[in-house]
């Protein structure tokens, strides 16, 4: 059933888009960053030249296989728990990758990092692609992904023997993307509960922000908004 809608400030919509874009930039960079890190990475983790592609493959497989189930989970629950899960997995696995030794452990944490990336992507899809003109957002999404992939290649080549710094950088960057989203979703949830309490029992609450062009940003909090987000 369609949910009620209340406007949020334009600045809140900009924060939403910027945070989602940064999260997807990091997800795309995470695909490629290990491919150009060079012999220092391989020596530290026993990744021979023939096994290095697996460091990319396990990440991509986890990302590709989990995005759809996580989007369905968001549709049935709320974006906030999936977002927090993605932030935790992505940050923790990035740190773990700098500490472990051995190819098996490294590949395992790369798969966990891919799972975190899937949760971040599913959340960004649920939040940012609900609007009147999603094709425009898809173009921006593609540009951000290409930029992130290219930056990952460049960063991996530049860090060389100091490859761990490229993974440690995920911690502040992920926080920069995740904290605004968490705060926005929590404030939206509090407002929705207040409105529901005043209006009595409701079927769902959605939030949409309209900009000057008529584009909308939906935060899927009710059944109708979650259906659109999925």
């Amino acid at each position: 059933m369609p949910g009620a809608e209340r406007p949020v400030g334009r600045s809140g919509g900009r924060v939403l888009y910027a945070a989602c874009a940064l999260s997807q930039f990091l997800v795309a960079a995470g695909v490629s960053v290990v491919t150009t890190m060079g012999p220092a990475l391989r020596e530290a983790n026993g990744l021979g030249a023939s096994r290095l592609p697996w460091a990319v493959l396990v990440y991509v497989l986890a990302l590709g296989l989990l995005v759809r189930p996580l989007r369905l989970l968001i549709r049935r629950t709320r974006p906030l728990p999936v977002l927090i899960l993605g932030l935790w997995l992505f940050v923790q696995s990035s740190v773990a990758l700098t500490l472990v030794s051995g190819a098996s452990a490294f590949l395992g944490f790369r798969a966990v990092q891919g799972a975190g990336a899937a949760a971040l992507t599913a959340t960004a899809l649920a939040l940012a692609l609900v609007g009147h003109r999603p094709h425009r957002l898809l173009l921006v999404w593609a540009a951000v992904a290409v930029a992130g992939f290219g930056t990952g290649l460049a960063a991996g080549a530049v860090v060389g023997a100091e490859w761990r710094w490229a993974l440690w950088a995920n911690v502040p960057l992920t926080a920069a993307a995740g904290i605004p989203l968490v705060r926005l979703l929590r404030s939206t949830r509090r407002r929705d509960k207040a409105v529901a309490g005043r209006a009595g029992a409701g079927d769902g609450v959605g939030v949409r922000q309209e900009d000057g062009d008529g584009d909308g940003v939906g935060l899927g909090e009710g059944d109708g908004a979650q259906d659109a987000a999925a």
Side-chain angles (χ1 to χ4, degrees):
M1 297 179 67
E5 296 181 355
R6 291 181 292 107
V8 298
R10 296 184 66 177
S11 60
R14 293 191 184 101
V15 170
L16 173 70
Y17 285 134
C20 288
L22 179 56
S23 73
Q24 295 313 289
F25 180 89
L26 293 173
V27 167
V31 176
S32 60
V33 68
V34 299
T35 61
T36 53
M37 282 182 174
L41 174 79
R42 295 194 293 270
E43 291 172 5
N45 296 285
L47 289 170
S50 61
R51 300 190 70 179
L52 185 60
W54 284 97
V56 177
L57 184 59
V58 295
Y59 180 100
V60 173
L61 284 175
L63 172 60
L65 292 175
L66 293 176
V67 166
R68 178 61 178 173
L70 288 170
R71 287 188 65 193
L72 293 176
L73 178 62
I74 289 174
R75 180 181 176 183
R76 287 163 173 75
T77 57
R78 292 178 183 271
L80 184 58
V82 177
L83 171 63
I84 293 175
L85 174 65
L87 294 171
W88 188 84
L89 289 177
F90 198 80
V91 168
Q92 294 295 326
S93 58
S94 296
V95 173
L97 287 169
T98 68
L99 303 175
V100 299
S101 60
S104 298
F106 189 86
L107 294 176
F109 280 111
R110 277 289 285 174
V112 173
Q113 191 181 36
L120 294 177
T121 301
T123 305
L125 285 169
L127 297 180
L129 294 185
V130 179
H132 294 160
R133 299 178 184 175
H135 59 280
R136 179 181 299 178
L137 289 174
L138 286 172
L139 292 176
V140 175
W141 199 294
V144 168
V146 171
F149 189 86
T151 301
L153 291 174
V158 168
V159 294
E162 302 298 328
W163 59 271
R164 290 178 176 85
W165 286 106
L167 296 172
W168 272 104
N170 283 335
V171 177
L173 291 174
T174 304
I179 290 174
L181 286 176
V182 170
R183 294 181 63 182
L184 183 60
L185 288 175
R186 283 180 173 172
S187 64
T188 299
R189 186 174 182 182
R190 286 194 295 267
R191 289 196 300 268
D192 290 345
K193 287 183 177 180
V195 170
R198 290 193 298 267
D203 293 319
V205 179
V207 178
R208 174 162 294 176
Q209 177 256 339
E210 300 286 345
D211 63 22
D213 296 327
D215 295 338
V217 180
L219 301 187
E221 299 287 67
D223 293 340
Q226 294 296 347
D227 289 340

